[in-house]
Amino acid sequence: MKQHNPLEHFELHPLIEIKLLGIDISVNKAVIMMWIVCILIPCIFMLAARGRRMIPTRLQSLTEISIEFLRNMAVDNMGKKGLKFFPFIATLFFFILFCNLLGIIPGSYTVTSQIIVTAFFAIIVFIISQIVGFAIHGIGYLRIFVPSGVPKFIIPIIVPIEIVSMMARPLSLSVRLFANMTAGHTILIVLFSLAIGLKYIGFLPFFFTVALTGLEIFIAFIQAYIFTILTCVYIGEAIEMH
Amino acid sequence: MPQFDLHFLTPLTFWSMVSFTILMVILYKYALPAITGILDARQEKIKGDIDQAEKLREDADKILAEYQEKLRYAFQKYEEVVNDAVKKAEEIHQKKIEETQAEKEKILSDARKTIEFEKEKALIEIRTHVVSLTIAATEKLTRKTLTAADSTRLAEESIEDVIKTMG
């Protein structure tokens, strides 16, 4: 039996070599998955909103519920002002969710298992929250590093800790999503190779893969939700500064 | 890990940015307004429906109150009519009873008068009979003709005897 690296699945290969102003923007499997997501989500919305029915179909109900859910999440964490960010929040949620979900389909690629992608979104969230903070509170936004009610002599210790904790946010945000997706898929790949490798008791790991695929679908939702709600919390904190 | 291969840093970042931006624009311009539009329209409709239902309920309440009032009035009227009828019936009944009583009394007194009259008549007849019988019997026994004074005395005695016997 040929032993192969279970992480091989995550390797990318340029499919179409493109260079823009000397920068490599070659298309690979992950990029194609992003395109599919970008086409799929508007199609689903179009299908759902078609006819603008008063009595909704199942798909329409589903999209309406998710939109309401995201809107409530935005308002709960960011207040009424946060509704300005609602399109960003909604896009983020659906983009990550569909990247996670489509990755489960065998033969496809999980875009969110690329730390570059998750880090990109985490950094965007970080930058947006900082811009919002400074735009609303000006230089006073720096007070966010000094929690209220802290004795003065602790401030020199607490401020660096707060700064580190702030900097850790994009790191934790990106690593959480990347690690969850990578780990789940690695386990699935290992179990699948076992199912094929173990000839007579191969059905045992196969059953596990069935159960784990269900779990992966659940995790796809949970991780998209966590990423989005943390985004709301971070931006909400920048808006309200508590 | 292959994910840490920095060869793909620029392509993935670039395409993430492009795809995300395009998706956000599409959602912001078309998809989200469509869905929120439906939600708002439905909210409006539900609100309108509830308002209308409220109005209809008020109308129904008003009509119900009217009908209850009418029903109450009708019941009152009905009771009045029934009471009147009962009273009238009782009056008629009483009057009939009185009339019957009076008639009965009249018939009874008429009867009594007739009986009295008949009795008197019978007594007079008896008296006449007894007188003539007594005179005839006495004349036969004494073989002489009685004087007027004797016949009167005899007649008186006989009549008294007869009356005594008759009770």
Side-chain angles (χ1 to χ4, degrees), chain A residues 80-154:
Chain A
K80 283 270 170 216
K81 279 184 197 165
L83 274 183
K84 269 185 280 182
F85 298 99
F86 174 64
F88 174 71
I89 298 292
T91 313
L92 197 63
F93 176 78
F94 287 117
F95 190 84
I96 293 172
L97 178 68
F98 276 79
C99 285
N100 292 351
L101 283 177
L102 290 185
I104 300 169
I105 299 168
S108 68
Y109 190 87
T110 321
V111 180
T112 39
S113 69
Q114 278 290 337
I115 192 153
I116 296 168
V117 178
T118 61
F120 168 75
F121 288 116
I123 290 166
I124 293 281
V125 168
F126 180 76
I127 292 171
I128 286 179
S129 62
Q130 301 312 308
I131 291 174
V132 167
F134 280 111
I136 293 177
H137 307 287
I139 201 76
Y141 177 62
L142 288 176
R143 277 202 309 274
I144 202 165
F145 295 119
V146 188
S148 57
V150 170
K152 274 195 177 139
F153 65 93
I154 301 184

Side-chain angles (χ1 to χ4, degrees), chain A residues 14-220:
Chain A
L15 298 172
I16 309 162
E17 303 257 3
I18 309 172
K19 277 202 191 286
L20 186 76
L21 306 168
I23 300 165
D24 177 26
I25 52 160
S26 303
V27 174
N28 51 47
K29 223 175 168 184
V31 173
I32 291 172
M33 288 309 292
M34 284 184 208
W35 291 349
I36 293 173
V37 167
C38 277
I39 294 165
L40 195 61
I41 295 172
C43 285
I44 287 174
F45 271 90
M46 256 169 55
L47 251 157
R50 193 186 48 185
R52 293 173 155 257
R53 295 177 190 83
M54 273 300 154
I55 299 156
T57 57
R58 286 179 191 171
L59 187 66
Q60 192 182 331
S61 279
L62 197 67
T63 47
E64 282 173 10
I65 290 164
S66 40
I67 294 286
E68 286 269 61
F69 173 73
L70 289 169
R71 197 145 79 163
N72 289 340
M73 189 160 89
V75 173
D76 287 348
N77 290 291
M78 303 189 283
K80 283 270 170 216
K81 279 184 197 165
L83 274 183
K84 269 185 280 182
F85 298 99
F86 174 64
F88 174 71
I89 298 292
T91 313
L92 197 63
F93 176 78
F94 287 117
F95 190 84
I96 293 172
L97 178 68
F98 276 79
C99 285
N100 292 351
L101 283 177
L102 290 185
I104 300 169
I105 299 168
S108 68
Y109 190 87
T110 321
V111 180
T112 39
S113 69
Q114 278 290 337
I115 192 153
I116 296 168
V117 178
T118 61
F120 168 75
F121 288 116
I123 290 166
I124 293 281
V125 168
F126 180 76
I127 292 171
I128 286 179
S129 62
Q130 301 312 308
I131 291 174
V132 167
F134 280 111
I136 293 177
H137 307 287
I139 201 76
Y141 177 62
L142 288 176
R143 277 202 309 274
I144 202 165
F145 295 119
V146 188
S148 57
V150 170
K152 274 195 177 139
F153 65 93
I154 301 184
I155 286 176
I157 310 167
I158 212 94
V159 168
I161 293 175
E162 286 288 320
I163 291 171
V164 169
S165 110
M166 181 70 92
M167 294 301 162
R169 281 174 175 183
L171 190 71
S172 67
L173 205 55
S174 55
V175 170
R176 184 183 300 111
L177 181 56
F178 146 77
N180 267 290
M181 288 302 122
T182 307
H185 285 260
T186 310
I187 292 171
L188 277 181
I189 291 158
V190 169
L191 283 173
F192 267 122
S193 14
L194 271 179
I196 296 162
L198 301 172
K199 276 187 183 150
Y200 299 109
I201 51 163
F203 63 90
L204 283 175
F206 179 74
F207 286 137
F208 275 110
T209 61
V210 174
L212 274 177
T213 306
L215 184 69
E216 279 299 297
I217 294 171
F218 177 66
I219 287 173

Side-chain angles (χ1 to χ4, degrees), chain B residues 109-163:
Chain B
S109 73
D110 282 1
R112 261 192 216 107
K113 268 181 202 158
T114 313
I115 289 165
E116 206 65 37
F117 176 72
E118 288 296 327
K119 198 175 142 192
E120 286 297 317
K121 209 171 118 189
L123 277 177
I124 288 166
E125 264 174 31
I126 288 169
R127 189 185 290 241
T128 322
H129 240 64
V130 167
V131 169
S132 41
L133 272 178
T134 312
I135 291 168
T138 316
E139 276 179 348
K140 262 202 182 137
L141 283 173
T142 55
R143 303 218 185 262
K144 65 170 185 177
T145 314
L146 291 175
T147 58
D150 282 342
S151 11
T152 310
R153 193 176 43 86
L154 267 175
E156 291 293 329
E157 279 171 16
S158 311
I159 289 163
E160 265 161 37
D161 281 350
V162 169
I163 288 170

